Amino acid sequence: MHHPGNDTPDRFPAEERFADGAQYIAGRLAEGTSGRTHTVVDPATGESVLTYALAGRDDVDAAVAAAREAFPGWAGATPGERSDALHRFAAVLAGRAEEFARAESLQCGKPLKLSREFDVPGTVDNTAFFAGAARHLQGQSAGEYSGDHTSYVRREPIGVVGSIAPWNYPLQMAAWKILPAIAAGNTIVLKPAEITPLTSLLFAQAATEAGIPDGVVNIVTGTGKEAGEHLVGHPDVAMTSFTGSTAVGKRVAEVATASVKRLHLELGGKAPFVVFDDADLDAAVHGAVAGALINTGQDCTAATRAYVQRPLYEAFVERTAALMETVRLGDPFAPGTDLGPLVSHAQRDRVAAFVDRARSYARVVTGGEAPQGELKNGAYYRPTLIAGAAQDSEVVQAEIFGPVLVVLPFDTDDEGIRLADDTPYGLAASAWTRDVYRANRATREIKAGCVWVNDHIPIISEMPHGGYKASGFGKDMSAYSFEEYTQLKHVMFDNTAVVRKDWHRTIFGDR
């Protein structure tokens, strides 16, 4: 396998593109002022991609000030004007699709085919969707609900939004945070994960190129402890949107609610994959491998717990392990690669530790190791299938966030649905069956923000994404996301022109 260097034309030239810094404030790149640096590493090779100065509190203040200054003009633009700008934005992104795909694969280790066919086109489609949705910010229609008054509802932008995005889908998560916010007339400061800032910065630059005014979209690249907490707690930030782990989400909530901000949280997941005994076994096996291994398992909706009804259990384990063993690990930029590395060596080691601890109470059917040879310098881990774990064990209950699928049997439909719901999380799930009644029951009773039937993973811009329980609250994507990013105002007009209204007697005087 070939490992080209960072200056090879088929990799993204990060040092060149971000020579002016990794902060994007008021329409231009800038250096961070924290006094500390961070190095972005290619997880496929362990080589340096970009060393940049981290954002400090002053950079957050500058970005928030830029967003606050831009807010009146952007909020005052007509829906049509914002829509036109977002249509131009989508066109710019589509024209630079290959650049975005290479930057995303370089910093994350995603196979280029995943970046090209999933991350980038999904982001372009999201942008085009919100370009249209910007024209449809209606409130309740006007009416005389009291008899003496006409009421209507205005939907207004909130102000400056401070958002924090994770490292697993840096481009898509930047889009999910930025697009509904600005389509609704807000301005935004986004803090991407410091280990994967490249495509968030490119995204903000593309917004400027599309004619979106300076200060509407700003990026601060710093640590969560310094830049993130200061952004969430900033007095001029009216709303916080966070995607990441449940543990960090709790801290974000503490900081945000101290200043009574609007809060949107999309947190962890431990998605069940429920296979009933009438399911198409081959379809379920293929769906499980794809759903468990997408983005090397670093997906909060990834299939992580397969519950298989007893008659299909042994065959499912055997066939899933065999299919996993055909998955090709390799250089993300090589055309034959199916699975890239995890995002970092630290994340690889965290996943490996989960699997190693599980050996004492479960059976590792396949995988469970880091490859050697040409891949030994990368953060690779083989696709792993675990069987024989108890429902209350760590690998069943905790979010591993790697290419690991745990398989457990169940007997009755009641048991399968009960086990599927038996974690703190509720982000996504799937049910595999040919029986419409079983499918309807599963979609009705499983407590998750998305339940697929006979598939697992696909998402679309028109439908909402968000969780139940410890997976958070609020929605990304779709018109439902405007519920997060707008204020509702009731406006009420008197229609009578009567000076002394009948209800006044309850306060003073007689009828």
Side-chain angles (χ1 to χ4, degrees):
M1 188 190 72
H2 180 50
H3 286 298
N6 291 336
D7 59 347
T8 303
D10 66 354
R11 271 165 156 76
F12 177 78
E15 291 280 7
E16 174 187 326
R17 287 300 305 274
F18 302 115
D20 293 330
Q23 318 302 322
Y24 196 77
I25 301 171
R28 65 182 183 276
L29 289 170
E31 294 280 1
T33 62
S34 70
R36 294 182 305 282
T37 61
H38 182 82
T39 298
V40 178
V41 173
D42 177 353
T45 64
E47 297 173 2
S48 171
V49 168
L50 171 70
T51 298
Y52 67 91
L54 286 161
R57 292 170 63 93
D58 289 347
D59 304 303
V60 173
D61 289 342
V64 172
R68 187 180 181 187
E69 183 177 351
F71 175 70
W74 185 247
T78 67
E81 289 168 339
R82 290 198 294 268
S83 176
D84 288 346
L86 286 165
H87 277 299
R88 295 193 301 270
F89 191 8
V92 171
L93 295 171
R96 293 172 57 185
E98 183 66 11
E99 176 186 26
F100 275 93
R102 291 182 178 278
E104 193 79 335
S105 288
L106 180 63
Q107 67 181 351
C108 299
K110 298 173 189 281
L112 193 56
K113 66 178 180 179
L114 181 65
S115 295
R116 282 174 173 163
E117 298 177 32
F118 185 78
D119 298 70
V120 174
T123 300
V124 174
D125 185 72
N126 258 218
T127 309
F129 170 81
F130 279 107
R135 290 181 177 265
H136 299 282
L137 284 164
Q138 299 98 336
Q140 189 173 2
S141 60
E144 286 67 51
Y145 299 97
S146 78
D148 291 337
H149 305 81
T150 295
S151 288
Y152 67 87
V153 172
R154 290 177 56 86
R155 190 182 287 276
E156 299 178 346
I158 295 171
V160 177
V161 177
S163 291
I164 299 177
W167 47 256
N168 57 332
Y169 290 101
L171 176 59
Q172 287 197 317
M173 295 299 99
W176 286 15
K177 299 304 181 195
I178 291 169
L179 293 170
I182 68 173
N186 302 286
T187 55
I188 189 166
V189 179
L190 174 76
K191 192 200 88 65
E194 63 269 27
I195 65 173
T196 55
L198 305 185
T199 45
S200 298
L201 292 164
L202 291 177
F203 194 73
Q205 288 179 309
T208 300
E209 185 179 338
I212 293 174
D214 293 349
V216 172
V217 178
N218 307 274
I219 308 293
V220 289
T221 308
T223 65
K225 191 66 177 174
E226 183 172 6
E229 291 206 7
H230 188 50
L231 177 62
V232 171
H234 200 288
D236 291 333
V237 169
M239 173 189 166
T240 291
S241 179
F242 170 80
T243 296
S245 71
T246 298
V248 177
K250 290 177 181 178
R251 175 58 184 163
V252 169
E254 289 175 4
V255 176
T257 55
S259 53
V260 199
K261 298 185 193 304
R262 177 77 67 90
L263 183 61
H264 166 219
L265 298 174
E266 197 265 274
L267 306 176
K270 190 71 177 175
F273 185 101
V274 184
V275 183
F276 293 96
D277 58 14
D278 68 321
D280 181 324
L281 181 59
D282 285 338
V285 167
H286 282 79
V289 173
L293 300 185
I294 185 171
N295 201 34
T296 317
Q298 298 164 123
D299 187 311
C300 49
T301 65
T304 59
R305 299 178 290 137
Y307 296 101
V308 184
Q309 207 151 21
R310 191 81 59 179
L312 298 184
Y313 176 75
E314 292 296 341
F316 180 91
V317 171
E318 180 182 349
R319 295 189 196 182
T320 301
L323 186 56
M324 278 188 170
E325 289 166 2
T326 70
V327 173
R328 299 165 296 180
L329 278 69
D331 182 346
F333 288 82
T337 293
D338 295 323
L339 197 72
L342 286 101
V343 74
S344 67
H345 288 77
Q347 181 63 15
R348 191 270 312 276
D349 293 346
R350 178 181 179 275
V351 170
F354 271 104
V355 177
D356 289 343
R357 289 192 296 271
R359 295 180 197 278
S360 66
Y361 57 79
R363 176 169 63 99
V364 177
V365 182
T366 190
E369 63 182 4
Q372 298 302 307
E374 292 183 317
L375 300 178
K376 67 179 180 180
N377 292 329
Y380 291 90
Y381 198 76
R382 294 195 186 283
T384 300
L385 185 67
I386 296 175
Q391 175 66 14
D392 62 355
S393 63
E394 180 187 49
V395 289
V396 175
Q397 294 293 324
E399 188 174 30
I400 299 172
F401 229 56
V404 179
L405 177 64
V406 184
V407 188
L408 299 91
F410 69 93
D411 292 303
T412 67
D413 289 15
D414 288 349
E415 182 188 16
I417 291 174
R418 178 181 61 79
L419 292 171
D421 268 339
D422 184 29
T423 71
Y425 300 105
L427 187 59
S430 64
W432 297 74
T433 177
R434 293 182 173 97
D435 186 323
V436 67
Y437 297 102
R438 272 177 159 169
N440 276 331
R441 181 186 178 190
T443 60
R444 184 174 64 250
E445 295 186 12
I446 293 175
K447 302 298 185 292
C450 175
V451 182
W452 293 281
V453 177
N454 295 327
D455 208 344
H456 196 108
I457 286 297
I459 52 175
I460 49 176
S461 297
E462 291 82 359
M463 290 291 114
H465 176 87
Y468 286 28
K469 302 189 294 185
S471 292
F473 48 81
K475 300 300 179 184
D476 288 309
M477 298 200 300
S478 84
Y480 292 100
S481 65
F482 287 138
E483 302 301 323
E484 319 305 325
Y485 292 98
T486 56
Q487 299 272 23
L488 293 182
K489 177 186 288 182
H490 172 212
V491 178
M492 196 173 198
F493 285 86
D494 170 60
N495 292 332
T496 68
V498 172
V499 174
R500 178 81 182 270
K501 301 198 169 43
D502 188 55
W503 71 268
H504 291 178
R505 68 184 174 80
T506 64
I507 312 301
F508 64 92
D510 298 318
R511 187 185 294 276

